[in-house]
Amino acid sequence: NLKPVNVKLVLLGEAAVGKSSLVLRFVNNEFQENKEPTIGGAFLTQKCRLEDKVIKFEIWDTAGQERFHSLAPMYYRNAQAAVVVYDVTKSASLDKVKSWVKELQRQANPNIVIALAGNKIDLVHSAEESEEDPAESGRESSVRESGRQVSTEEAKAYALETGLLFFETSAKNGDGVRDIFVEIAKKIPLE
Ligand code: GDP
Ligand code: MG
């Protein structure tokens, strides 16, 4: 019977990358095809049970629109964790993530745990799965996927050099979503 440890977590990233959808998937195990945009910010909580501890995430979901940028410090100021989200089908959304990470490293808690999530992985169609041909398997993996603008290798390398946890996710089908929160929970020290 463990007492939950409260952890303030903030979601950041360009508008429409799927921040609110990731939260909705994690908290309610739901997905909405045409989710209305977040205005300002939204607050939700969800517990995450590990073997040795229970983390209660206090999740601050922010609006991605530029006109709300000035509100962000209010959300990340005391955050112990941040999830920065991009859309794997939009390379500009990874640039936005990089500017958020720089801002967090300058202004947020120096011990903040940051996770990078490349969302909408369900929109990437792998040619490999549809036309399996062992003779062709030596070919570049990048030509085998359509829809993708950010490669796993590129994002993973960036995450590694910057010290971020890295995930590819789909709020639509749930892939990878729980892992983000579980891996963050594991990295939160017990005081
Ligand atoms: P936010 O502005 O970052 O909070 O993005 P939303 O969660 O509002 O999502 C923006 C749009 O992308 C909505 O129409 C969602 O249904 C859609 N969406 C979000 N996540 C995914 C995903 O993983 N896959 C697909 N195919 N669509 C998604
Ligand atoms: Mg939103």
Side-chain angles (χ1 to χ4, degrees):
N1 221 348
L2 298 163
K3 193 169 172 285
V5 178
N6 291 336
V7 170
K8 186 177 163 187
L9 179 147
V10 64
L11 276 110
L12 297 165
E14 198 171 78
V17 293
K19 299 178 295 298
S20 301
S21 299
L22 288 171
V23 176
L24 193 65
R25 171 60 72 191
F26 176 57
V27 174
N28 292 340
N29 201 20
E30 278 176 17
F31 179 75
Q32 292 169 8
E33 202 63 59
N34 289 300
K35 226 190 141 342
E36 67 289 355
T38 314
I39 305 298
F43 177 73
L44 289 108
T45 66
Q46 176 68 21
K47 280 184 195 154
C48 190
R49 278 164 224 285
L50 301 184
E51 261 175 44
D52 56 337
K53 59 187 166 186
V54 178
I55 299 289
K56 184 184 175 195
F57 285 112
E58 302 172 342
I59 303 171
W60 294 88
D61 176 21
T62 66
Q65 292 84 349
E66 214 42 60
R67 66 198 158 102
F68 293 118
H69 192 121
S70 59
L71 295 178
M74 203 167 76
Y75 295 103
Y76 64 64
R77 192 163 293 139
N78 300 309
Q80 289 132 284
V83 181
V84 287
V85 185
Y86 67 96
D87 173 345
V88 295
T89 71
K90 290 211 173 72
S91 57
S93 68
L94 184 65
D95 300 333
K96 186 64 196 172
V97 149
K98 291 179 181 176
S99 77
W100 276 122
V101 170
K102 281 187 189 144
E103 183 166 339
L104 288 173
Q105 288 174 334
R106 267 198 319 267
Q107 321 251 35
N109 169 357
N111 300 319
I112 191 167
V113 177
I114 307 176
L116 176 64
N119 191 40
K120 306 199 186 183
I121 198 73
D122 59 280
L123 296 177
V124 175
H125 303 290
S126 167
E128 213 161 352
E129 279 166 24
S130 45
E131 29 147 337
E132 199 88 60
D133 182 357
E136 307 258 294
S137 65
R139 229 198 277 159
E140 280 288 303
S141 64
S142 58
V143 300
R144 295 175 170 275
E145 288 183 340
S146 63
R148 185 192 278 276
Q149 284 190 1
V150 180
S151 73
T152 305
E153 292 74 20
E154 176 191 1
K156 203 186 258 179
Y158 164 69
L160 192 67
E161 73 186 35
T162 319
L164 317 177
L165 295 167
F166 173 65
F167 305 90
E168 285 188 330
T169 60
S170 168
K172 185 166 182 171
N173 64 27
D175 282 353
V177 178
R178 209 183 136 69
D179 297 345
I180 305 173
F181 295 89
V182 170
E183 294 307 315
I184 289 174
K186 285 184 188 167
K187 287 197 78 175
I188 299 292
L190 288 173
E191 59 270 8

